[in-house]
Amino acid sequence: MASPIDSAREKAKHAAQSQKDAAAANLGEMADALRGAAGQMNEQNQATIGRAAERAAGALQKMSEKLRAQDVDGLVREAEDFARAQPLAFFGLALAAGFLGARYLKSSQTRP
């Protein structure tokens, strides 16, 4: 019989997997939209902006594919490795993510 801790861990892992899959799908959709915008820019003789948008779309697509290919445990290991190798950068990113998350939550609250 699984302990409550094991059960909670499995539920958290399942939730993280669902969020990871949703994030990968969103990144893929953003890449597609950016490619569409790049095509429009190229048609409007704005090739420089079009190329930049195409490169950004390619980077988003790579991120999406990498996220899809990796499991949650692999992502956690990568984050741990990065935190060990670059503790100040990791702390800065964590701080920025916390700040952006707080701003998002604050802005999404319904006002009375």
Side-chain angles (χ1 to χ4, degrees):
M1 184 167 111
S3 73
I5 292 173
D6 291 337
S7 178
R9 185 176 291 139
E10 275 303 310
K11 285 182 184 178
K13 190 173 179 179
H14 181 69
Q17 183 71 35
S18 295
Q19 291 298 316
K20 177 195 75 81
D21 293 342
N26 286 337
L27 284 173
E29 290 171 7
M30 287 172 44
D32 292 342
L34 205 49
R35 277 199 182 87
Q40 289 177 350
M41 293 296 165
N42 289 330
E43 289 172 5
Q44 296 171 359
N45 294 325
Q46 296 177 345
T48 303
I49 296 171
R51 282 191 302 271
E54 186 62 41
R55 282 193 302 270
L60 284 175
Q61 189 65 42
K62 282 183 183 179
M63 286 173 56
S64 173
E65 290 167 2
K66 183 176 181 177
L67 204 52
R68 279 189 181 101
Q70 228 173 4
D71 65 346
V72 173
D73 292 332
L75 291 172
V76 169
R77 278 190 302 277
E78 251 186 51
E80 289 171 345
D81 291 345
F82 178 73
R84 283 188 199 98
Q86 301 289 332
L88 289 177
F90 182 80
F91 178 73
L93 288 171
L95 190 64
F99 176 75
L100 292 173
R103 297 278 302 176
Y104 173 76
L105 290 174
K106 186 176 180 182
S107 69
S108 65
Q109 289 177 340
T110 56
R111 308 231 190 258

